[in-house]
Amino acid sequence: MTHPLVKIISRKMIKPSSPTPHHQRNLQLSFLDQLLPPTLYPSIIFFYSSPTSDPASTVSESLHASLSKSLVLFYPLAGRLKTAASVHCNDEGAHFLEARVNCQLSDLLKVPEHKLLNNLIPEFEPKTVQYFRIAVAASPIHKIGDAGAYYKFIQTWAAIHRGESDQLVLPEFNGASVLPPRELSLPNNLGLIPNQKLTTRTFVFDVTKIASLKAKIGGTHVELVSAIILRSALAASHKSKPETTSSTNVLSQIVSFRNRIVPAVAPNVMGNWFWSVQVVFKQNETELQESVAKMRKGVTDFYKEKADRFKGQDGFRVVSESLRERGEFFKSTKGCINLYRGTSLCKLPVYEIDFGWRKPTWVTSQSNHKNLFLLIDTKHGDGIEVWVTLDEEEMAIFESEEELLSFACANPSAIVNHQSHSRM
């Protein structure tokens, strides 16, 4: 249901400004792309507090035009899935939704309302772009690219919109040449948790406090924040549902291996170049130092033993073996499992995305997947912002956990030197 403050103004289909050549009309996806379900990439919303003084219609038209030019380069985003392993690049177009939110941007940023933010995310149509006068969100289909690919698309669109496309590095869609798709049926939803009554909250961790913790027990900032989130989430789960205390605890870490394959996969190569590394924790293994050590070992072992094998025939074998092992593990738990997913966008320069309205005031996201947390650097690099999605009952306990609040601020104001009072 649409939030009462949100009004959809228009829905359009934006096609590439020039037709896709015949030899690029059928795109083969990689084996890893093939395994992903046809879901949308979680939207990242870019809020701008210094928009152009041009009327909304002019800004909308310029976004249409720049998106149309961007789709010439990212032509699969204007196509349609043909099979699990191929895209028909038929220039059908990307959905473009424009909406107005009846509130001041400054009010929204003071106390971000997550139910309202959910309505700023184009989740219902593939390859959708949404525009809110001073906020932009995009949801490409996940089968075509990972976070790095998503960033490349947004970066390109912004550069074209502000008229600075001369130095762009063109995207490449050649993942199938590294890891060809296969004619077989493999499960692609192992461990997925059905959607329930979920809620998302934002927490900002103070890097000085994390640095002090690092000096005591080691680990990276991302590992330490992840360990605190996991420990607090498990505590909330056990208090909310005591029966979960006997469940197996698992953290699924999303790990990029673009730079671990030899030769490395360049940043402009589209596709999915990540793997989910499963770390199992026993009931007595939730101390922060222990959790950090287990997370690090899981990632280190993956890099040493598997990352460089994700190519060619060996890539098919290592993926198949990993999925078989994972399936056997989930089966062995008989459904008694606390599964959490963590991913980090730290060091991804999302605050550099400039459509010509200066850099964004705030960048955020929402999720409809239970037990998911996503980390991102704050605008000035003085903290780590985490978006956490949990069951509503568990979230009510989680956001009051003392240990969590000793390192982080819950649902803080998103205003950063905000002077504008523009209406969305």
Side-chain angles (χ1 to χ4, degrees), residues 206-221 224 228 288 406-407:
D206 187 328
V207 292
T208 58
K209 293 181 179 179
I210 296 300
S212 297
L213 181 62
K214 178 180 179 179
K216 295 176 183 177
I217 68 174
T220 66
H221 286 187
L224 290 165
I228 294 169
L288 294 180
S406 69
F407 292 98

Side-chain angles (χ1 to χ4, degrees), residues 293-304:
K294 292 208 73 170
M295 283 188 277
R296 173 159 293 190
K297 184 178 187 303
V299 174
T300 300
D301 289 349
F302 169 74
Y303 283 152
K304 286 182 178 178

Side-chain angles (χ1 to χ4, degrees), residues 320-422:
S320 299
E321 290 169 5
S322 297
L323 290 177
R324 177 181 54 78
E325 293 170 359
R326 190 178 301 177
E328 292 175 353
F329 168 74
F330 281 113
K331 186 177 180 181
S332 71
T333 67
K334 298 180 180 179
C336 296
I337 184 170
N338 288 319
L339 175 63
Y340 297 86
R341 291 181 174 82
T343 187
S344 172
L345 299 184
C346 291
K347 298 185 179 179
L348 193 67
V350 293
Y351 279 96
E352 298 298 314
I353 298 296
D354 180 4
F355 280 84
W357 313 315
R358 302 180 187 174
K359 296 176 182 179
T361 296
W362 187 40
V363 179
T364 189
S365 181
Q366 292 287 91
S367 169
N368 282 328
H369 295 290
K370 184 183 177 183
N371 296 351
L372 176 70
F373 57 90
L374 191 151
L375 286 65
I376 186 172
D377 294 314
T378 56
K379 182 172 183 177
H380 298 296
D382 54 355
I384 294 179
E385 185 171 317
V386 187
W387 310 322
V388 182
T389 303
L390 296 174
D391 167 276
E392 286 183 351
E393 188 177 334
E394 293 177 20
M395 179 62 81
I397 301 172
F398 175 84
E399 61 185 350
S400 299
E401 283 292 312
E402 289 186 11
E403 182 176 60
L404 172 66
L405 297 179
S406 69
F407 292 98
C409 177
N411 301 311
S413 168
I415 293 181
V416 181
N417 297 324
H418 181 70
Q419 301 295 328
S420 174
H421 294 280
S422 300

Side-chain angles (χ1 to χ4, degrees), residues 119-321:
N119 281 269
L120 307 189
I121 296 178
E123 294 178 332
F124 306 107
E125 297 285 356
K127 297 168 286 296
T128 300
V129 174
Q130 201 139 323
Y131 157 60
F132 296 92
R133 181 72 173 111
I134 44 179
V136 177
S139 288
I141 193 166
H142 209 324
K143 290 178 77 72
I144 294 176
D146 55 17
Y150 175 97
Y151 177 79
K152 183 65 180 176
F153 165 67
I154 291 290
Q155 182 187 50
T156 299
W157 182 21
I160 290 175
H161 186 265
R162 66 176 186 268
E164 298 178 8
S165 58
D166 294 344
Q167 303 300 318
L168 287 176
V169 178
L170 301 183
E172 296 181 10
F173 297 90
N174 57 1
S177 65
V178 179
L179 189 60
R182 304 287 297 218
E183 291 294 332
L184 80 170
S185 176
L186 283 173
N188 57 22
N189 62 344
L190 290 174
L192 287 179
I193 302 172
N195 287 348
Q196 304 169 22
K197 284 191 174 181
L198 306 178
T199 185
T200 299
R201 292 288 184 270
T202 304
F203 300 84
V204 175
F205 284 74
D206 187 328
V207 292
T208 58
K209 293 181 179 179
I210 296 300
S212 297
L213 181 62
K214 178 180 179 179
K216 295 176 183 177
I217 68 174
T220 66
H221 286 187
V222 168
E223 289 168 343
L224 290 165
V225 170
S226 298
I228 294 169
I229 293 289
L230 177 65
R231 181 177 163 94
S232 299
L234 286 173
S237 176
H238 295 164
K239 291 175 184 176
S240 171
K241 302 176 181 66
E243 67 274 13
T244 63
T245 56
S246 59
S247 298
T248 302
N249 302 319
V250 179
L251 173 63
S252 177
Q253 300 180 93
I254 304 301
V255 180
S256 172
F257 56 85
R258 280 178 176 264
N259 296 324
R260 300 289 174 162
I261 290 183
V262 180
V265 178
N268 65 310
V269 174
M270 301 297 103
N272 291 280
W273 305 98
F274 70 90
W275 190 246
S276 175
V277 176
Q278 311 284 328
V279 184
V280 181
F281 297 88
K282 297 179 182 178
Q283 293 302 324
N284 60 348
E285 292 180 331
T286 56
E287 292 299 321
L288 294 180
Q289 188 168 8
E290 212 164 16
S291 297
V292 167
K294 292 208 73 170
M295 283 188 277
R296 173 159 293 190
K297 184 178 187 303
V299 174
T300 300
D301 289 349
F302 169 74
Y303 283 152
K304 286 182 178 178
E305 300 168 8
K306 294 183 178 181
D308 189 41
R309 295 172 58 198
F310 275 70
K311 55 189 178 184
Q313 184 63 28
D314 196 30
F316 168 70
R317 282 194 296 268
V318 71
V319 170
S320 299
E321 290 169 5

